[in-house]
Amino acid sequence: KPKTLLQALGDQSNRDVAQQFAVFSGALAFLPILGLFASEYLLRSVVSDGNSRWMYSAIVAVLLVNLVLAAFVVHCFREGFPVPAVPEATAKDEVKEEKKEK
């Protein structure tokens, strides 16, 4: 029986991944909505037209979505990439080939 996503994230070796997943998912869910309403509230004294105000607020929300996604990508790249393990037989074959060439 294959593991479910919840079982895989509950595994001790995946705790860090689960925490990062939760943080970025929460940020992606709440930051744009909070930004939408906060920017609409802050623009009330600057932009008198309600439609324009909501349009500017929506642009801020879209920018926040892109900011969270870019932060996730940067975080993943900073985490690094695993070095693929070279099978021992392949490493021995390469040493033998180098000796034959000499």
Side-chain angles (χ1 to χ4, degrees):
K1 180 179 174 182
K3 279 188 172 182
T4 64
L5 176 63
L6 189 59
Q7 290 171 339
L9 290 176
D11 190 20
Q12 187 65 29
S13 62
N14 294 330
R15 289 285 163 106
D16 189 42
V17 174
Q19 288 174 346
Q20 292 173 13
F21 178 72
V23 167
F24 281 104
S25 294
L28 193 58
F30 292 113
L31 277 180
I33 294 170
L34 292 174
L36 176 76
F37 290 116
S39 60
E40 194 277 333
Y41 178 76
L42 293 172
L43 288 173
R44 285 183 182 173
S45 61
V46 179
V47 180
S48 61
D49 182 32
N51 289 335
S52 296
R53 190 170 54 239
W54 281 107
M55 183 182 66
Y56 296 141
S57 299
I59 291 170
V60 169
V62 169
L63 291 175
L64 286 172
V65 167
N66 287 308
L67 184 68
V68 171
L69 291 176
F72 177 72
V73 170
V74 168
H75 177 75
C76 289
F77 273 103
R78 283 190 174 180
E79 194 174 73
F81 297 99
V83 178
V86 177
E88 200 169 310
T90 306
K92 287 180 182 177
D93 292 340
E94 289 176 3
V95 171
K96 288 179 184 177
E97 287 178 18
E98 288 177 6
K99 287 182 181 179
K100 286 180 185 177
E101 291 174 3
K102 291 181 182 180

Coordinates of all heavy atoms in Angstrom, one line a residue:
K1 N 0.9 -1.2 0.0 CA 0.0 0.0 0.0 C 0.9 1.2 0.0 O 1.7 1.4 0.9 CB -0.9 0.0 1.2 CG -1.8 1.1 1.4 CD -2.7 1.0 2.6 CE -3.5 2.2 2.8 NZ -4.3 2.2 4.0
P2 N 0.7 2.1 -1.0 CA 1.6 3.3 -1.0 C 1.3 4.3 0.1 O 0.1 4.4 0.6 CB 1.3 4.0 -2.4 CG -0.1 3.4 -2.8 CD -0.2 2.1 -2.1
K3 N 2.3 5.1 0.5 CA 2.1 6.1 1.5 C 1.3 7.3 1.0 O 1.4 7.7 -0.2 CB 3.5 6.7 2.0 CG 4.2 5.8 2.9 CD 5.4 6.6 3.4 CE 6.1 5.8 4.6 NZ 7.2 6.5 5.1
T4 N 0.5 7.9 1.9 CA -0.2 9.1 1.5 C 0.7 10.3 1.8 O 1.7 10.2 2.4 CB -1.5 9.2 2.3 OG1 -1.2 9.3 3.7 CG2 -2.4 8.0 2.1
L5 N 0.3 11.4 1.3 CA 1.1 12.7 1.5 C 1.2 13.0 3.0 O 2.3 13.3 3.5 CB 0.4 13.8 0.8 CG 1.1 15.2 1.0 CD1 2.5 15.2 0.5 CD2 0.3 16.3 0.4
L6 N 0.1 12.8 3.7 CA 0.1 13.0 5.2 C 1.1 12.1 5.9 O 1.8 12.5 6.8 CB -1.3 12.9 5.7 CG -1.5 13.4 7.2 CD1 -1.1 14.9 7.3 CD2 -2.9 13.2 7.6
Q7 N 1.1 10.8 5.5 CA 2.0 9.9 6.1 C 3.5 10.2 5.8 O 4.3 10.1 6.7 CB 1.7 8.5 5.7 CG 0.4 7.9 6.2 CD 0.0 6.6 5.6 OE1 0.5 6.3 4.5 NE2 -0.8 5.8 6.2
A8 N 3.7 10.6 4.6 CA 5.1 10.9 4.2 C 5.6 12.2 4.9 O 6.7 12.3 5.3 CB 5.2 11.1 2.7
L9 N 4.7 13.2 5.0 CA 5.1 14.4 5.7 C 5.3 14.2 7.2 O 6.0 14.9 7.9 CB 4.1 15.5 5.4 CG 4.1 16.1 4.0 CD1 3.1 17.1 3.9 CD2 5.5 16.7 3.6
G10 N 4.6 13.2 7.8 CA 4.7 12.9 9.2 C 5.9 12.1 9.6 O 6.3 12.0 10.7
D11 N 6.6 11.6 8.6 CA 7.8 10.8 8.8 C 8.9 11.7 9.4 O 9.0 12.9 9.0 CB 8.3 10.2 7.5 CG 9.4 9.2 7.7 OD1 9.6 8.7 8.8 OD2 10.1 8.9 6.7
Q12 N 9.7 11.2 10.3 CA 10.7 12.0 11.0 C 11.7 12.7 10.1 O 12.1 13.8 10.3 CB 11.4 11.2 12.1 CG 12.3 12.0 12.9 CD 11.6 13.0 13.9 OE1 10.5 12.7 14.2 NE2 12.2 14.0 14.2
S13 N 12.0 12.0 9.0 CA 13.0 12.5 8.1 C 12.5 13.7 7.2 O 13.2 14.4 6.6 CB 13.6 11.4 7.2 OG 12.5 10.9 6.4
N14 N 11.1 13.8 7.2 CA 10.5 14.8 6.4 C 9.9 16.0 7.2 O 9.2 16.8 6.6 CB 9.4 14.2 5.5 CG 9.9 13.2 4.5 OD1 11.1 13.4 4.0 ND2 9.2 12.2 4.1
R15 N 10.2 16.1 8.4 CA 9.7 17.1 9.3 C 10.0 18.5 8.8 O 9.2 19.4 8.8 CB 10.1 16.9 10.7 CG 9.5 15.8 11.4 CD 8.1 16.1 11.8 NE 7.3 14.8 12.1 CZ 7.0 14.5 13.3 NH1 7.3 15.2 14.3 NH2 6.4 13.3 13.5
D16 N 11.3 18.7 8.4 CA 11.7 20.0 8.0 C 11.0 20.4 6.7 O 10.6 21.5 6.5 CB 13.2 20.0 7.7 CG 13.8 21.4 7.5 OD1 13.4 22.3 8.2 OD2 14.6 21.5 6.6
V17 N 10.8 19.4 5.8 CA 10.1 19.7 4.6 C 8.6 20.1 4.9 O 8.1 21.0 4.3 CB 10.2 18.5 3.6 CG1 9.3 18.7 2.4 CG2 11.6 18.2 3.2
A18 N 8.0 19.3 5.8 CA 6.6 19.6 6.2 C 6.5 21.0 6.8 O 5.5 21.7 6.5 CB 6.1 18.6 7.1
Q19 N 7.4 21.4 7.6 CA 7.4 22.8 8.2 C 7.5 23.9 7.1 O 6.8 24.8 7.1 CB 8.5 22.9 9.2 CG 8.2 22.1 10.5 CD 9.3 22.2 11.5 OE1 10.4 22.6 11.1 NE2 9.1 21.7 12.7
Q20 N 8.5 23.7 6.2 CA 8.7 24.6 5.1 C 7.4 24.7 4.2 O 7.0 25.8 3.8 CB 9.9 24.3 4.3 CG 11.2 24.5 5.1 CD 12.4 24.0 4.3 OE1 12.3 23.7 3.1 NE2 13.5 23.8 4.9
F21 N 6.8 23.5 4.0 CA 5.6 23.5 3.2 C 4.5 24.3 3.8 O 3.8 25.0 3.2 CB 5.2 22.0 3.0 CG 4.0 21.8 2.2 CD1 3.9 22.0 0.8 CD2 2.8 21.3 2.8 CE1 2.7 21.8 0.1 CE2 1.7 21.1 2.1 CZ 1.6 21.4 0.8
A22 N 4.4 24.1 5.1 CA 3.3 24.8 5.9 C 3.5 26.3 5.9 O 2.6 27.1 5.7 CB 3.2 24.2 7.3
V23 N 4.8 26.7 6.1 CA 5.1 28.1 6.1 C 4.8 28.8 4.8 O 4.1 29.8 4.7 CB 6.5 28.4 6.6 CG1 7.0 29.8 6.3 CG2 6.7 28.0 8.0
F24 N 5.3 28.2 3.7 CA 5.1 28.9 2.4 C 3.6 28.7 1.9 O 3.1 29.6 1.3 CB 6.0 28.3 1.4 CG 7.4 28.9 1.5 CD1 8.5 28.2 2.0 CD2 7.7 30.1 1.0 CE1 9.7 28.7 2.2 CE2 8.9 30.7 1.1 CZ 10.0 30.0 1.7
S25 N 2.9 27.7 2.3 CA 1.5 27.5 1.9 C 0.7 28.6 2.7 O -0.2 29.2 2.1 CB 1.0 26.1 2.3 OG 1.6 25.2 1.5
G26 N 1.0 28.8 4.0 CA 0.3 29.8 4.8 C 0.6 31.2 4.2 O -0.4 32.0 4.1
A27 N 1.8 31.4 3.9 CA 2.1 32.8 3.3 C 1.4 33.0 2.0 O 0.9 34.1 1.8 CB 3.7 32.9 3.2
L28 N 1.4 32.0 1.2 CA 0.7 32.1 -0.1 C -0.8 32.3 0.0 O -1.4 32.9 -0.8 CB 1.0 30.9 -1.0 CG 0.7 31.0 -2.5 CD1 1.4 32.1 -3.1 CD2 1.1 29.7 -3.2
A29 N -1.3 31.7 1.1 CA -2.8 31.8 1.3 C -3.2 33.2 1.9 O -4.2 33.8 1.6 CB -3.3 30.7 2.2
F30 N -2.4 33.7 2.9 CA -2.8 34.8 3.7 C -2.2 36.1 3.3 O -2.9 37.2 3.4 CB -2.6 34.6 5.2 CG -3.4 33.5 5.8 CD1 -2.9 32.3 6.2 CD2 -4.8 33.6 5.8 CE1 -3.6 31.3 6.7 CE2 -5.6 32.6 6.3 CZ -5.0 31.4 6.8
L31 N -1.0 36.2 2.9 CA -0.3 37.5 2.6 C -1.0 38.2 1.5 O -1.3 39.4 1.6 CB 1.1 37.3 2.2 CG 2.1 37.2 3.4 CD1 3.5 37.0 2.9 CD2 2.0 38.4 4.3
P32 N -1.4 37.6 0.3 CA -2.1 38.4 -0.7 C -3.4 38.9 -0.3 O -3.8 40.1 -0.6 CB -2.3 37.4 -1.8 CG -1.2 36.4 -1.6 CD -1.0 36.3 -0.1
I33 N -4.2 38.2 0.5 CA -5.5 38.6 1.0 C -5.3 39.8 2.0 O -6.0 40.8 1.9 CB -6.3 37.5 1.6 CG1 -6.6 36.4 0.6 CG2 -7.5 38.0 2.3 CD1 -7.2 35.1 1.1
L34 N -4.4 39.6 2.9 CA -4.1 40.7 3.8 C -3.6 42.0 3.1 O -4.0 43.1 3.4 CB -3.1 40.3 4.9 CG -3.6 39.2 5.9 CD1 -2.4 38.8 6.8 CD2 -4.7 39.7 6.7
G35 N -2.7 41.7 2.1 CA -2.2 42.9 1.3 C -3.3 43.5 0.5 O -3.3 44.8 0.4
L36 N -4.3 42.8 0.0 CA -5.4 43.3 -0.7 C -6.2 44.3 0.1 O -6.4 45.5 -0.2 CB -6.3 42.2 -1.3 CG -7.6 42.7 -2.0 CD1 -7.2 43.2 -3.4 CD2 -8.6 41.5 -2.0
F37 N -6.6 43.9 1.3 CA -7.4 44.7 2.2 C -6.6 45.8 2.8 O -7.1 46.9 3.0 CB -8.1 43.8 3.2 CG -9.2 43.0 2.6 CD1 -9.1 41.6 2.7 CD2 -10.3 43.5 2.0 CE1 -10.1 40.8 2.2 CE2 -11.3 42.7 1.5 CZ -11.1 41.3 1.5
A38 N -5.4 45.6 3.2 CA -4.5 46.6 3.8 C -4.3 47.7 2.8 O -4.4 48.9 3.1 CB -3.2 46.0 4.3
S39 N -3.9 47.4 1.5 CA -3.6 48.4 0.5 C -4.9 49.2 0.1 O -4.9 50.4 -0.1 CB -3.0 47.8 -0.7 OG -3.8 46.8 -1.3
E40 N -6.1 48.5 0.1 CA -7.3 49.2 -0.1 C -7.6 50.2 1.0 O -8.0 51.3 0.7 CB -8.5 48.2 -0.3 CG -9.7 48.8 -0.9 CD -10.6 49.5 0.2 OE1 -10.6 49.2 1.4 OE2 -11.4 50.4 -0.3
Y41 N -7.4 49.8 2.2 CA -7.6 50.7 3.3 C -6.6 51.9 3.3 O -7.0 53.1 3.5 CB -7.4 50.0 4.6 CG -7.6 50.8 5.8 CD1 -8.8 51.2 6.3 CD2 -6.5 51.2 6.6 CE1 -9.0 52.0 7.4 CE2 -6.6 52.1 7.7 CZ -7.9 52.4 8.1 OH -8.0 53.2 9.2
L42 N -5.4 51.6 3.0 CA -4.4 52.7 2.9 C -4.6 53.6 1.7 O -4.2 54.8 1.8 CB -3.0 52.1 2.9 CG -2.5 51.4 4.1 CD1 -1.2 50.7 3.9 CD2 -2.5 52.3 5.3
L43 N -5.2 53.2 0.6 CA -5.4 54.0 -0.5 C -6.7 54.8 -0.5 O -6.9 55.6 -1.4 CB -5.4 53.1 -1.8 CG -4.1 52.5 -2.3 CD1 -4.3 51.5 -3.4 CD2 -3.1 53.6 -2.7
R44 N -7.5 54.6 0.6 CA -8.7 55.4 0.7 C -8.5 56.9 0.7 O -9.3 57.6 0.1 CB -9.5 55.0 1.9 CG -10.1 53.6 1.8 CD -10.9 53.3 3.0 NE -11.5 51.9 2.8 CZ -12.2 51.3 3.7 NH1 -12.3 51.8 4.9 NH2 -12.6 50.1 3.5
S45 N -7.5 57.4 1.3 CA -7.2 58.8 1.4 C -6.5 59.3 0.1 O -6.5 60.5 -0.1 CB -6.4 59.2 2.6 OG -5.2 58.5 2.5
V46 N -6.0 58.4 -0.7 CA -5.2 58.8 -1.9 C -6.1 58.7 -3.2 O -6.1 59.6 -4.0 CB -3.9 58.0 -2.0 CG1 -3.2 58.4 -3.3 CG2 -3.1 58.1 -0.8
V47 N -6.8 57.6 -3.3 CA -7.6 57.3 -4.6 C -9.1 57.4 -4.2 O -9.5 56.6 -3.4 CB -7.2 56.0 -5.1 CG1 -8.0 55.7 -6.4 CG2 -5.7 55.9 -5.4
S48 N -9.8 58.3 -4.8 CA -11.2 58.5 -4.4 C -12.1 57.5 -5.1 O -13.1 57.1 -4.6 CB -11.6 59.9 -4.7 OG -11.5 60.2 -6.1
D49 N -11.8 57.1 -6.3 CA -12.6 56.2 -7.1 C -12.4 54.8 -6.5 O -11.3 54.2 -6.5 CB -12.2 56.2 -8.6 CG -13.1 55.3 -9.4 OD1 -14.3 55.1 -9.1 OD2 -12.5 54.7 -10.4
G50 N -13.5 54.2 -6.1 CA -13.5 52.8 -5.5 C -13.0 51.8 -6.4 O -12.3 50.9 -6.0
N51 N -13.4 51.8 -7.7 CA -13.0 50.8 -8.7 C -11.5 50.8 -8.9 O -10.8 49.8 -8.9 CB -13.7 51.0 -10.0 CG -15.2 50.6 -9.9 OD1 -15.5 49.8 -9.0 ND2 -16.0 51.2 -10.7
S52 N -10.9 52.0 -9.0 CA -9.5 52.2 -9.2 C -8.7 51.7 -8.0 O -7.7 51.1 -8.0 CB -9.1 53.6 -9.5 OG -9.7 54.1 -10.7
R53 N -9.3 52.0 -6.8 CA -8.7 51.7 -5.6 C -8.6 50.1 -5.4 O -7.5 49.6 -5.1 CB -9.4 52.3 -4.4 CG -8.8 52.1 -3.1 CD -9.4 52.9 -2.0 NE -10.9 52.6 -1.8 CZ -11.8 53.5 -2.0 NH1 -11.6 54.8 -2.2 NH2 -13.1 53.2 -1.8
W54 N -9.6 49.4 -5.8 CA -9.6 48.0 -5.7 C -8.7 47.4 -6.8 O -8.1 46.4 -6.6 CB -11.0 47.4 -5.9 CG -11.8 47.5 -4.6 CD1 -12.8 48.3 -4.3 CD2 -11.6 46.7 -3.4 NE1 -13.3 48.1 -3.0 CE2 -12.5 47.1 -2.4 CE3 -10.7 45.7 -3.1 CZ2 -12.6 46.5 -1.2 CZ3 -10.7 45.1 -1.8 CH2 -11.7 45.5 -0.9
M55 N -8.6 48.1 -7.9 CA -7.7 47.6 -9.0 C -6.2 47.7 -8.5 O -5.5 46.8 -8.7 CB -7.9 48.4 -10.3 CG -7.0 47.9 -11.4 SD -7.2 48.9 -12.9 CE -6.5 50.4 -12.4
Y56 N -5.9 48.8 -7.9 CA -4.5 49.0 -7.4 C -4.2 48.0 -6.3 O -3.1 47.4 -6.2 CB -4.3 50.4 -6.9 CG -4.4 51.4 -8.0 CD1 -5.0 52.7 -7.7 CD2 -3.8 51.2 -9.2 CE1 -5.0 53.7 -8.7 CE2 -3.9 52.2 -10.2 CZ -4.5 53.4 -10.0 OH -4.6 54.4 -10.9
S57 N -5.2 47.7 -5.5 CA -5.1 46.8 -4.4 C -4.9 45.3 -4.9 O -4.1 44.6 -4.4 CB -6.3 46.8 -3.5 OG -6.5 48.1 -2.9
A58 N -5.6 45.0 -6.0 CA -5.4 43.7 -6.6 C -4.0 43.6 -7.2 O -3.4 42.5 -7.1 CB -6.5 43.5 -7.7
I59 N -3.5 44.6 -7.8 CA -2.1 44.6 -8.3 C -1.1 44.3 -7.2 O -0.2 43.5 -7.3 CB -1.8 45.9 -9.0 CG1 -2.6 46.0 -10.3 CG2 -0.3 46.0 -9.3 CD1 -2.6 47.3 -11.0
V60 N -1.4 44.9 -6.0 CA -0.5 44.7 -4.8 C -0.6 43.2 -4.4 O 0.4 42.6 -4.1 CB -0.9 45.6 -3.7 CG1 -0.2 45.2 -2.4 CG2 -0.5 47.1 -4.0
A61 N -1.8 42.7 -4.4 CA -2.0 41.2 -4.1 C -1.3 40.3 -5.0 O -0.6 39.3 -4.6 CB -3.5 40.9 -4.0
V62 N -1.4 40.6 -6.3 CA -0.7 39.8 -7.3 C 0.9 39.9 -7.1 O 1.6 38.9 -7.2 CB -1.1 40.2 -8.7 CG1 -0.2 39.6 -9.8 CG2 -2.5 39.8 -9.0
L63 N 1.3 41.1 -6.8 CA 2.8 41.2 -6.6 C 3.2 40.5 -5.3 O 4.3 39.9 -5.3 CB 3.1 42.7 -6.4 CG 3.0 43.6 -7.7 CD1 3.3 45.0 -7.4 CD2 4.0 43.1 -8.7
L64 N 2.3 40.4 -4.3 CA 2.6 39.6 -3.1 C 2.7 38.1 -3.4 O 3.5 37.4 -2.9 CB 1.6 39.9 -2.0 CG 1.8 41.3 -1.3 CD1 0.7 41.6 -0.4 CD2 3.1 41.3 -0.6
V65 N 1.8 37.6 -4.3 CA 1.8 36.2 -4.7 C 3.2 35.9 -5.3 O 3.8 34.9 -5.0 CB 0.7 35.9 -5.6 CG1 0.9 34.5 -6.3 CG2 -0.6 35.9 -4.9
N66 N 3.6 36.8 -6.3 CA 4.9 36.6 -7.0 C 6.0 36.7 -6.0 O 7.0 36.0 -6.2 CB 5.0 37.6 -8.1 CG 4.1 37.2 -9.3 OD1 4.1 36.1 -9.7 ND2 3.3 38.2 -9.7
L67 N 5.9 37.6 -5.0 CA 7.0 37.7 -4.1 C 7.2 36.4 -3.2 O 8.3 36.0 -3.0 CB 6.7 38.9 -3.1 CG 7.8 39.2 -2.1 CD1 9.1 39.7 -2.8 CD2 7.3 40.3 -1.2
V68 N 6.1 35.8 -2.8 CA 6.1 34.6 -2.0 C 6.7 33.5 -2.8 O 7.5 32.7 -2.4 CB 4.7 34.2 -1.4 CG1 4.7 32.9 -0.8 CG2 4.3 35.3 -0.4
L69 N 6.2 33.4 -4.1 CA 6.8 32.3 -5.0 C 8.3 32.5 -5.2 O 9.0 31.5 -5.2 CB 6.0 32.3 -6.3 CG 4.5 31.8 -6.2 CD1 3.8 31.9 -7.5 CD2 4.4 30.4 -5.6
A70 N 8.7 33.7 -5.4 CA 10.1 34.0 -5.7 C 10.9 33.6 -4.4 O 12.0 33.1 -4.5 CB 10.3 35.4 -6.1
A71 N 10.4 34.0 -3.2 CA 11.0 33.6 -2.0 C 11.2 32.1 -1.8 O 12.2 31.6 -1.3 CB 10.3 34.2 -0.8
F72 N 10.1 31.4 -2.2 CA 10.2 29.9 -2.2 C 11.3 29.4 -3.1 O 12.1 28.5 -2.7 CB 8.8 29.3 -2.5 CG 8.8 27.8 -2.5 CD1 8.9 27.1 -1.4 CD2 8.8 27.1 -3.7 CE1 8.9 25.7 -1.4 CE2 8.7 25.8 -3.8 CZ 8.8 25.1 -2.6
V73 N 11.4 29.9 -4.3 CA 12.4 29.4 -5.2 C 13.8 29.7 -4.7 O 14.7 28.9 -4.7 CB 12.2 30.0 -6.6 CG1 13.3 29.8 -7.5 CG2 10.9 29.5 -7.2
V74 N 14.0 30.9 -4.2 CA 15.3 31.3 -3.6 C 15.6 30.4 -2.4 O 16.8 29.9 -2.3 CB 15.3 32.8 -3.2 CG1 16.5 33.1 -2.4 CG2 15.3 33.7 -4.5
H75 N 14.7 30.1 -1.6 CA 14.9 29.3 -0.4 C 15.3 27.9 -0.9 O 16.2 27.3 -0.3 CB 13.6 29.2 0.4 CG 13.7 28.3 1.6 ND1 14.4 28.6 2.7 CD2 13.2 27.1 1.8 CE1 14.3 27.6 3.5 NE2 13.6 26.6 3.0
C76 N 14.6 27.4 -1.9 CA 15.0 26.0 -2.4 C 16.4 26.0 -3.0 O 17.1 25.0 -2.8 CB 14.0 25.6 -3.4 SG 12.4 25.2 -2.8
F77 N 16.8 27.0 -3.7 CA 18.1 27.0 -4.3 C 19.2 27.2 -3.2 O 20.3 26.6 -3.3 CB 18.3 28.1 -5.3 CG 17.9 27.7 -6.7 CD1 16.7 28.1 -7.2 CD2 18.7 26.9 -7.4 CE1 16.3 27.7 -8.5 CE2 18.3 26.5 -8.7 CZ 17.1 26.9 -9.2
R78 N 18.9 27.9 -2.2 CA 19.9 28.1 -1.0 C 20.0 26.8 -0.3 O 21.1 26.6 0.3 CB 19.4 29.2 -0.1 CG 19.7 30.6 -0.7 CD 19.5 31.6 0.4 NE 19.9 32.9 -0.1 CZ 19.8 34.0 0.6 NH1 19.4 34.0 1.8 NH2 20.2 35.1 0.1
E79 N 19.0 26.0 -0.3 CA 19.0 24.7 0.4 C 20.0 23.8 -0.2 O 20.6 23.0 0.4 CB 17.6 24.1 0.4 CG 17.4 23.0 1.4 CD 16.0 22.6 1.4 OE1 15.5 21.9 0.4 OE2 15.3 22.8 2.4
G80 N 20.2 23.9 -1.5 CA 21.2 23.1 -2.2 C 20.6 21.9 -2.9 O 19.4 21.6 -2.7
F81 N 21.4 21.2 -3.6 CA 21.0 20.0 -4.4 C 21.8 18.8 -3.8 O 23.0 18.9 -3.6 CB 21.3 20.2 -5.9 CG 20.5 21.3 -6.5 CD1 21.1 22.6 -6.7 CD2 19.2 21.1 -6.8 CE1 20.4 23.6 -7.2 CE2 18.5 22.2 -7.4 CZ 19.1 23.4 -7.6
P82 N 21.1 17.7 -3.7 CA 21.9 16.5 -3.3 C 22.9 16.0 -4.3 O 22.6 16.1 -5.5 CB 20.8 15.5 -3.0 CG 19.6 15.9 -3.9 CD 19.7 17.4 -3.9
V83 N 24.0 15.6 -3.9 CA 25.0 15.1 -4.8 C 24.7 13.6 -5.1 O 24.5 12.8 -4.2 CB 26.4 15.2 -4.2 CG1 27.5 14.6 -5.1 CG2 26.7 16.6 -3.8
P84 N 24.5 13.3 -6.4 CA 24.1 12.0 -6.7 C 25.2 11.0 -6.4 O 26.4 11.3 -6.6 CB 23.9 12.0 -8.2 CG 24.5 13.2 -8.7 CD 24.6 14.2 -7.6
A85 N 24.8 9.9 -5.8 CA 25.8 8.9 -5.4 C 26.3 8.1 -6.6 O 25.4 7.7 -7.4 CB 25.2 7.9 -4.4
V86 N 27.6 7.9 -6.7 CA 28.1 7.2 -7.9 C 28.2 5.7 -7.4 O 28.8 5.4 -6.4 CB 29.5 7.7 -8.2 CG1 30.1 6.9 -9.4 CG2 29.4 9.2 -8.6
P87 N 27.6 4.8 -8.1 CA 27.7 3.4 -7.8 C 29.2 3.0 -7.8 O 30.0 3.5 -8.6 CB 27.0 2.7 -8.9 CG 26.1 3.7 -9.5 CD 26.8 5.0 -9.3
E88 N 29.6 2.1 -6.8 CA 30.9 1.7 -6.6 C 31.5 1.1 -7.9 O 32.7 1.3 -8.2 CB 31.1 0.8 -5.4 CG 32.5 0.8 -4.9 CD 32.5 0.1 -3.6 OE1 31.7 0.4 -2.7 OE2 33.4 -0.8 -3.4
A89 N 30.7 0.3 -8.6 CA 31.2 -0.4 -9.8 C 31.6 0.6 -10.8 O 32.6 0.4 -11.5 CB 30.1 -1.4 -10.3
T90 N 30.8 1.7 -11.0 CA 31.1 2.7 -12.0 C 32.4 3.4 -11.6 O 33.2 3.6 -12.5 CB 30.0 3.7 -12.0 OG1 28.8 3.0 -12.3 CG2 30.2 4.7 -13.2
A91 N 32.7 3.7 -10.4 CA 33.9 4.3 -10.0 C 35.1 3.4 -10.3 O 36.1 3.9 -10.7 CB 33.8 4.7 -8.5
K92 N 35.0 2.1 -10.0 CA 36.1 1.2 -10.2 C 36.4 1.1 -11.7 O 37.5 1.0 -12.2 CB 35.8 -0.2 -9.7 CG 35.8 -0.2 -8.2 CD 35.5 -1.6 -7.7 CE 35.5 -1.6 -6.1 NZ 35.1 -3.0 -5.6
D93 N 35.3 1.1 -12.5 CA 35.4 1.0 -14.0 C 36.2 2.2 -14.5 O 37.0 2.0 -15.4 CB 34.1 0.8 -14.7 CG 33.4 -0.5 -14.4 OD1 34.1 -1.4 -14.0 OD2 32.2 -0.6 -14.5
E94 N 35.9 3.4 -14.0 CA 36.6 4.6 -14.5 C 38.1 4.5 -14.1 O 38.9 4.9 -14.9 CB 36.0 5.8 -13.8 CG 34.6 6.1 -14.4 CD 33.9 7.3 -13.7 OE1 34.6 7.9 -12.8 OE2 32.8 7.6 -14.0
V95 N 38.4 4.0 -12.9 CA 39.8 3.9 -12.6 C 40.5 2.9 -13.5 O 41.7 3.1 -13.9 CB 39.9 3.4 -11.1 CG1 41.4 3.1 -10.7 CG2 39.4 4.5 -10.2
K96 N 39.9 1.8 -13.8 CA 40.5 0.8 -14.7 C 40.7 1.4 -16.1 O 41.7 1.1 -16.7 CB 39.5 -0.5 -14.8 CG 39.5 -1.3 -13.6 CD 38.6 -2.5 -13.7 CE 38.5 -3.3 -12.5 NZ 37.5 -4.4 -12.6
E97 N 39.7 2.2 -16.6 CA 39.8 2.8 -17.9 C 41.0 3.8 -17.9 O 41.7 3.9 -18.9 CB 38.5 3.5 -18.3 CG 37.4 2.5 -18.6 CD 36.1 3.2 -19.0 OE1 36.2 4.5 -19.2 OE2 35.1 2.6 -18.9
E98 N 41.2 4.5 -16.8 CA 42.3 5.5 -16.7 C 43.6 4.7 -16.8 O 44.6 5.2 -17.4 CB 42.2 6.3 -15.5 CG 41.1 7.3 -15.5 CD 40.9 8.1 -14.2 OE1 41.8 8.0 -13.3 OE2 39.9 8.9 -14.1
K99 N 43.7 3.6 -16.1 CA 45.0 2.8 -16.1 C 45.3 2.3 -17.5 O 46.4 2.2 -17.9 CB 44.9 1.7 -15.1 CG 45.0 2.2 -13.7 CD 44.9 1.0 -12.7 CE 45.0 1.5 -11.2 NZ 44.9 0.4 -10.3
K100 N 44.2 1.8 -18.2 CA 44.4 1.3 -19.6 C 44.9 2.3 -20.5 O 45.7 2.1 -21.4 CB 43.1 0.7 -20.1 CG 42.7 -0.6 -19.4 CD 41.4 -1.1 -20.0 CE 40.9 -2.3 -19.3 NZ 39.6 -2.7 -19.9
E101 N 44.4 3.6 -20.3 CA 44.8 4.7 -21.2 C 46.3 5.0 -21.1 O 46.9 5.5 -22.0 CB 43.9 5.9 -21.0 CG 42.5 5.6 -21.5 CD 41.6 6.8 -21.1 OE1 42.1 7.8 -20.5 OE2 40.4 6.7 -21.4
K102 N 46.8 4.8 -19.9 CA 48.2 5.2 -19.6 C 49.1 4.1 -20.1 O 49.9 4.0 -20.8 CB 48.4 5.3 -18.1 CG 47.7 6.5 -17.5 CD 48.0 6.6 -16.0 CE 47.3 7.8 -15.4 NZ 47.5 7.9 -14.0

